[in-house]
Amino acid sequence: MSDTSGTKTSSKRAAYRSSRLFLGIAVSASALLSVVGPAHATPAKDPLPADIPDYRAALDAVKSTDVRNTVCRFLRTPVPTGGTGGPVQTIPETAEPCQGLPAFTIKDPVALNEITPGFVAGTAKPLPAEAIKLTQLVSSLSTTVNGRNATIMLAPTQGGGWHLAAVRDGDSDATYASKAALGTLVFTEPQIRGWYQLKLTTVEPLNDQARQGLGGQASVSLSTYQKLVKARYADKLPGSAYDTTGYSSGYSLQRTEDGAPSSTLLLASGSSAALALAGGAVVLRRRRRASNR
């Protein structure tokens, strides 16, 4: 019997991109028709978004005791100091990791979308369904805990569903990702930590890094944005000389010393901490700063 899990997963991703594109076209058409009519309230968000596959599994994951305990262990562990080349810090197991910590809840996960390698290479058309892909889901905490917040990252499970991939300091990813509204798509250019909003085929920056990425422009067409990222990264994709010499393009999984991929995507980052689940061990390390040299 042939294994169809990969095909099913690919179909779900394609359906996700198509549904977002359809929503954008529908909303824009509605706006044109109602521009002279009365204003209407934005419809309530479906608690189970149709544009995120297996969303119930994602909800179950972030509400699970195991994920909550992992977050508590992360929040209890001091942020590593020093450079990125130091030893990885393993977080010890504790019977009651959340005991004594302030009460908090984990928010419902939202989509983390990224530009696709094909879009960067120029082989994909400048269309939302081909330019942007859902890579992970992100959640944050309802409140700060001992002055810290955290981002909970879920990765798709082969065959369907979602699982915990990493926990990181800060909540900026979840904050920006949650800005998506009906008819718009929020995505990241991970190499520069840029966040953008896509309205049909118009790209608008959401943070300073994105504004710099657009050369200070308030908006550009998706085709113009493709030219910008192609110039920045087309020679840095996986398999390129840049990638094989050890630099991160932002598209491939981090790899351990033995060459096996770890469970968290390596995004261009600052020096805050990241908790990764590698080989069954929970470890805390400083996030590596990506370079575009």
Side-chain angles (χ1 to χ4, degrees):
M1 182 179 295
S2 60
D3 182 6
T4 61
S5 60
T7 302
K8 291 180 180 178
T9 301
S10 177
S11 298
K12 289 177 180 178
R13 299 292 177 268
Y16 163 79
R17 294 194 296 272
S18 298
S19 66
R20 295 298 304 194
L21 177 60
F22 174 78
L23 284 173
I25 294 173
V27 170
S28 297
S30 176
L32 289 173
L33 291 172
S34 62
V35 67
V36 295
H40 296 282
T42 302
K45 179 182 177 181
D46 187 339
L48 295 177
D51 54 7
I52 298 178
D54 301 316
Y55 191 71
R56 172 56 65 185
L59 282 176
D60 291 342
V62 298
K63 305 301 181 184
S64 70
T65 300
D66 286 345
V67 167
R68 183 178 180 82
N69 285 344
T70 300
V71 173
C72 288
R73 292 167 63 198
F74 174 81
L75 294 171
R76 282 186 176 280
T77 306
V79 176
T81 58
T84 59
V88 170
Q89 179 180 351
T90 301
I91 300 178
E93 290 281 357
T94 54
E96 298 288 344
C98 297
Q99 187 174 8
L101 288 179
F104 68 89
T105 58
I106 300 175
K107 296 179 181 178
D108 292 350
V110 293
L112 191 155
N113 302 295
E114 296 182 25
I115 49 179
T116 66
F119 179 73
V120 173
T123 57
K125 295 179 180 179
L127 298 172
E130 296 189 35
I132 310 301
K133 67 175 180 179
L134 172 67
T135 58
Q136 293 189 320
L137 301 182
V138 289
S139 303
S140 58
L141 308 183
S142 60
T143 185
T144 57
V145 177
N146 296 339
R148 294 171 66 184
N149 209 315
T151 294
I152 295 87
M153 306 184 73
L154 302 180
T157 301
Q158 187 174 6
W162 299 87
H163 63 273
L164 180 65
V167 182
R168 297 198 314 219
D169 257 332
D171 61 353
S172 60
D173 285 353
T175 298
Y176 283 116
S178 64
K179 292 182 180 293
L182 189 64
T184 67
L185 188 66
V186 169
F187 67 93
T188 181
E189 181 184 332
Q191 295 84 352
I192 63 171
R193 301 290 291 169
W195 283 91
Y196 304 85
Q197 181 173 255
L198 179 63
K199 297 179 179 179
L200 283 183
T201 57
T202 299
V203 178
E204 299 176 355
L206 292 177
N207 64 357
D208 289 340
Q209 293 92 324
R211 279 183 280 275
Q212 293 173 7
L214 298 185
Q217 300 180 81
S219 66
V220 299
S221 67
L222 188 57
S223 59
T224 297
Y225 176 67
Q226 183 177 32
K227 294 176 182 177
L228 293 172
V229 295
K230 181 179 179 180
R232 286 199 281 267
Y233 312 120
D235 61 343
K236 301 176 179 65
L237 291 169
S240 66
Y242 180 89
D243 175 55
T244 56
T245 53
Y247 296 109
S248 168
S249 68
Y251 291 107
S252 57
L253 291 174
Q254 291 186 62
R255 294 191 173 271
T256 58
E257 292 182 358
D258 61 2
S262 72
S263 60
T264 178
L265 279 174
L266 176 60
L267 308 180
S269 62
S271 60
S272 56
L275 179 152
L277 311 177
V282 182
V283 297
L284 188 67
R285 58 193 173 201
R286 295 184 70 83
R287 290 158 58 197
R288 194 167 48 153
R289 186 181 301 277
S291 168
N292 290 326
R293 291 179 291 174

